[in-house]
Amino acid sequence: MSERQTRSSRHLQPSRNKKLDKLLNVLIGVVVVLIIITATYVFKWQDDAEQTVKDEPAQEEKDDNKEVDKEPVKEDEKDLAVEEDQASEEEDGSQPEENQQEQGEPEESTSDNPNVEKVITNKNWQPTPTTQTGQHVSSYDSSSVDWSEKVATVTGVTGINQDNMIIWRMQNNGGPNSSIATVSTKDKTQMYRVSMEWVDNEGWLPVKLEQLNTLEGAY
């Protein structure tokens, strides 16, 4: 090897070493940055995981408290509804169903008349409202208001509509303010005799309902 080549080789050796050093420094820097980024990410992930674990029991406890609180509210609402119903019944003057049945239940009895199946009375029957004013005069004229109110009283107590009713007889029942009517359905499956009395300024009041076995001798 010539002396010139030897010198050139010596001159290139330091230059290569410097480049290698720079490359190593760069690589080391990159590695350090990656380590820092990785460490930061790991620490942050751990912190988030710990925070999630802490929050979950708190949320569950909060939800449990909500569930516990719901039951008393429902009971309170139920009690309040019962109290409101009771107050409403008191305001309306309504009474328990059993008492209503006792007061409104019709009374049934038998009769010595073989034509009568049973006799029905009810203390809760009310007069049929009247449109008549002044001195009342009982009328058996089928075109009169008094006659129409008698028929309405019979309809109310028997449940037979006027369109389905045959009036076999309507007559005085021993006094000017007492009347009796014998009626049936058109097919004669239901037969009744209705006794009624006039109540001044109120109307005709049914006082006795007889369910008939036959119409023979009933009027």
Side-chain angles (χ1 to χ4, degrees), residues 84-139:
E84 289 177 350
D85 290 341
Q86 292 176 348
S88 177
E89 288 179 357
E90 292 176 358
E91 290 177 359
D92 296 339
S94 58
Q95 298 177 346
E97 183 177 353
E98 293 181 0
N99 292 340
Q100 290 179 349
Q101 289 179 350
E102 289 177 1
Q103 294 184 6
E105 190 74 23
E107 297 180 2
E108 297 183 2
S109 59
T110 58
S111 174
D112 295 334
N113 189 333
N115 287 348
V116 178
E117 172 70 19
K118 59 183 175 181
V119 179
I120 302 170
T121 59
N122 192 330
K123 295 180 180 179
N124 280 356
W125 282 337
Q126 298 296 320
T128 302
T130 182
T131 60
Q132 301 179 66
T133 58
Q135 183 67 31
H136 174 257
V137 178
S138 182
S139 174

Side-chain angles (χ1 to χ4, degrees), residues 5-23:
Q5 290 177 341
T6 302
R7 288 179 181 177
S8 176
S9 177
R10 290 177 180 176
H11 178 74
L12 292 172
Q13 187 68 31
S15 177
R16 291 178 181 175
N17 291 336
K18 289 180 180 181
K19 290 181 179 181
L20 290 173
D21 291 340
K22 288 181 180 181
L23 180 60

Side-chain angles (χ1 to χ4, degrees), residues 145-180:
V145 173
D146 192 70
W147 173 276
S148 297
E149 292 181 352
K150 288 187 179 81
V151 174
T153 302
V154 173
T155 296
V157 74
T158 63
I160 303 175
N161 294 328
Q162 293 186 29
D163 294 339
N164 188 36
M165 180 187 294
I166 298 176
I167 300 175
W168 296 97
R169 189 159 189 173
M170 183 93 73
Q171 64 184 26
N172 183 290
N173 194 27
N177 292 324
S178 182
S179 184
I180 188 169

